Amino acid sequence: AYGSNYLPHRYTWTTKITGAPTAIQIDLEGTTDETTWFVLDTSTSTTDEMRHVVNKPIRGVRAKLVTLTGGTAPTVTVKFTA
């Protein structure tokens, strides 16, 4: 286990795209204070994708669907790596 001051700083995130969208934007956002969120990475791939983020310590993470033209809402999975 990590101490209470440890902030995860490496992530792998994947997107599973369904319904053949013609345009999509998904932002992976992070926070250090659970109030203010900022973009860590952005995916615009209309097919399934795996992406990696490193050296960005944060307390919380979320995926935000910014744009979706056609298709259905994607599934996003985020994993922290030690």
Side-chain angles (χ1 to χ4, degrees):
Y2 300 109
S4 61
N5 291 327
Y6 175 80
L7 296 178
H9 63 280
R10 292 187 298 240
Y11 323 91
T12 296
W13 66 298
T14 57
T15 58
K16 176 132 180 78
I17 308 300
T18 56
T22 57
I24 192 168
Q25 178 179 331
I26 305 165
D27 288 346
L28 183 68
E29 297 182 333
T31 183
T32 55
D33 61 10
E34 299 181 23
T35 300
T36 305
W37 292 85
F38 48 90
V39 176
L40 298 170
D41 194 19
T42 298
S43 172
T44 57
S45 177
T46 56
T47 60
D48 296 353
E49 183 176 30
M50 176 185 285
R51 299 178 63 89
H52 307 282
V53 178
V54 297
N55 298 325
K56 295 185 179 179
I58 56 171
R59 290 201 184 280
V61 65
R62 69 182 181 190
K64 180 178 181 183
L65 182 59
V66 178
T67 302
L68 178 62
T69 305
T72 56
T75 300
V76 178
T77 304
V78 180
K79 293 185 179 187
F80 298 102
T81 56

